[in-house]
Amino acid sequence: MDQETVTILDPSQIYRPDVSEKQFEGTEFKPSAKEVQTFRQFAEHSPEDDPQLAKVQNTYKLMHTHQTVEYVRKKHEQWGKFDHGQFSIMQALEFINTIIDESDPDTSVPNIYHAFQTAERIRERHPDKDWLILTGLIHDLGKVMAAWGEPQWSVVGDTFVVGCAYGDSIVYRKTSFDDNPDLKNPAYNSKCGIYEEHCGLANVMMSWGHDEYLYKVMVENSCKLPEEALYIIRYHSFYPWHTGGDYMHLCNNKDLEMLKWIREFNQFDLYSKCDSLPDLDALQPFYQTLIDKYIPGTLKW
């Protein structure tokens, strides 16, 4: 079967208002006309006509209703205790195989395959950047929260800033925030809200999800990955920023410098999903050497 006909895409990524060229600024990658056409085909179907897309929409509706400033603060406190056990990176990869991502209903292979597909795509393009290859392998490991009882709308999907006006490019922005209590709080509805202009993304609160959790795990366990990798882990799902161009008024110079790395990573994350599955047994020894170099042993989760 031709690979073009078996490409598996994430509807939560496809059903965005635009596939913006901003996503690829500063990278050598440009999606082909066929990729863009395939990438956007789900947007032609209304949720009423597509039960899978309806599930995606419901996941975002729950996320956009319940992700408030108060909620995010509680999640930082809850998951910042790191009391869910001690596991190696390879063990965590096995955990996410138990998760069916409700923002990604068309993916027919276990999450571990997407991890290796992303990493292998990076390895092809950047064989000299072992830290970036490893980042591709681990970027979604924060989804282990779902295996431990966290609701999917608090784990998967695009992230956004809480505590200020919502960005225009957020998925379902016009319809899904109506029941969010923060929408009725004037302190949270100005352009900067509770933040200062150009305060830096490290000083704002993101909606809770697998990005922020894995970032906290990496910091807690003193991983040896470079700062660029930690930015990718923390903000790769922040599509309203790195693709939509929103929230630039909150960024400092460091954020803008790191944006090119997140956009570089995104091309491999987004366009690596296919049914051509890697041989995990054959690849594991190579990736174990990278893990041993940057994130060895067991980690507190």
Side-chain angles (χ1 to χ4, degrees):
M1 184 179 294
D2 190 290
Q3 184 169 339
E4 287 187 339
T5 65
V6 298
T7 300
I8 299 173
L9 302 169
D10 179 349
S12 72
Q13 294 168 341
I14 295 164
Y15 200 70
R16 293 191 170 93
D18 292 294
V19 180
S20 172
E21 290 189 0
K22 292 179 182 178
Q23 181 176 349
F24 307 107
E25 287 179 0
T27 76
E28 297 179 358
F29 180 77
K30 294 293 184 294
S32 68
K34 175 62 177 177
E35 284 175 314
V36 171
Q37 181 183 5
T38 303
F39 179 76
R40 293 179 59 84
Q41 68 180 1
F42 280 87
E44 299 174 3
H45 303 287
S46 67
E48 292 78 12
D49 297 331
D50 189 332
Q52 293 173 322
L53 190 56
K55 180 184 289 187
V56 173
Q57 187 176 36
N58 182 62
T59 299
Y60 277 103
K61 174 61 177 177
L62 291 170
M63 179 196 303
H64 295 165
T65 296
H66 298 294
Q67 291 265 9
T68 64
V69 169
E70 180 182 7
Y71 180 84
V72 170
R73 285 173 175 160
K74 288 181 178 178
K75 288 300 165 181
H76 275 276
E77 180 180 359
Q78 175 187 347
W79 289 97
K81 295 176 182 176
F82 306 104
D83 57 359
H84 286 78
Q86 296 193 23
F87 309 100
S88 69
I89 292 296
M90 284 298 182
Q91 287 173 319
L93 283 167
E94 292 296 334
F95 270 121
I96 65 173
N97 265 345
T98 66
I99 301 164
I100 300 174
D101 188 334
E102 291 177 0
S103 75
D104 193 1
D106 280 1
T107 298
S108 61
V109 298
N111 273 288
I112 194 170
Y113 285 102
H114 171 56
F116 278 94
Q117 286 168 338
T118 303
E120 283 295 282
R121 187 80 174 259
I122 295 171
R123 188 180 178 187
E124 292 173 3
R125 187 74 62 87
H126 297 293
D128 58 327
K129 293 182 173 61
D130 61 355
W131 65 266
L132 186 59
I133 297 169
L134 180 58
T135 302
L137 182 73
I138 70 171
H139 72 284
D140 276 345
L141 282 188
K143 292 180 182 180
V144 295
M145 290 189 294
W148 297 328
E150 189 71 6
Q152 291 257 347
W153 53 262
S154 188
V155 175
V156 302
D158 296 1
T159 56
F160 56 93
V161 180
V162 298
C164 67
Y166 302 121
D168 290 337
S169 66
I170 297 174
V171 180
Y172 305 116
R173 167 65 183 91
K174 294 181 179 180
T175 60
S176 61
F177 283 95
D178 293 347
D179 297 323
N180 188 306
D182 284 0
L183 200 62
K184 301 175 179 64
N185 188 332
Y188 300 150
N189 287 294
S190 66
K191 183 178 180 180
C192 289
I194 60 177
Y195 311 111
E196 298 292 332
E197 191 170 6
H198 302 304
C199 62
L201 295 180
N203 295 308
V204 307
M205 285 187 291
M206 304 298 303
S207 57
W208 184 254
H210 68 281
D211 295 28
E212 188 67 22
Y213 176 56
L214 183 60
Y215 169 77
K216 290 173 74 71
V217 170
M218 293 295 101
V219 172
E220 172 68 16
N221 290 279
S222 301
C223 82
K224 300 175 184 177
L225 286 168
E227 186 176 26
E228 291 85 351
L230 295 180
Y231 256 79
I232 291 169
I233 289 168
R234 196 175 195 182
Y235 300 115
H236 71 270
S237 299
F238 191 15
Y239 274 83
W241 173 52
H242 65 64
T243 299
D246 290 330
Y247 301 108
M248 289 295 179
H249 59 286
L250 298 177
C251 295
N252 59 20
N253 289 335
K254 176 60 71 173
D255 300 322
L256 299 180
E257 290 172 6
M258 291 295 173
L259 179 56
K260 65 182 179 182
W261 283 109
I262 296 171
R263 287 175 172 165
E264 180 70 12
F265 174 81
N266 182 246
Q267 61 181 287
F268 305 111
D269 184 18
L270 190 58
Y271 288 99
S272 62
K273 296 179 182 179
C274 68
D275 276 344
S276 178
L277 301 182
D279 185 338
L280 303 190
D281 290 337
L283 292 173
Q284 186 166 335
F286 168 76
Y287 284 97
Q288 188 62 56
T289 64
L290 301 188
I291 293 168
D292 292 341
K293 178 179 178 179
Y294 291 104
I295 325 171
T298 58
L299 313 179
K300 293 167 56 180
W301 295 82

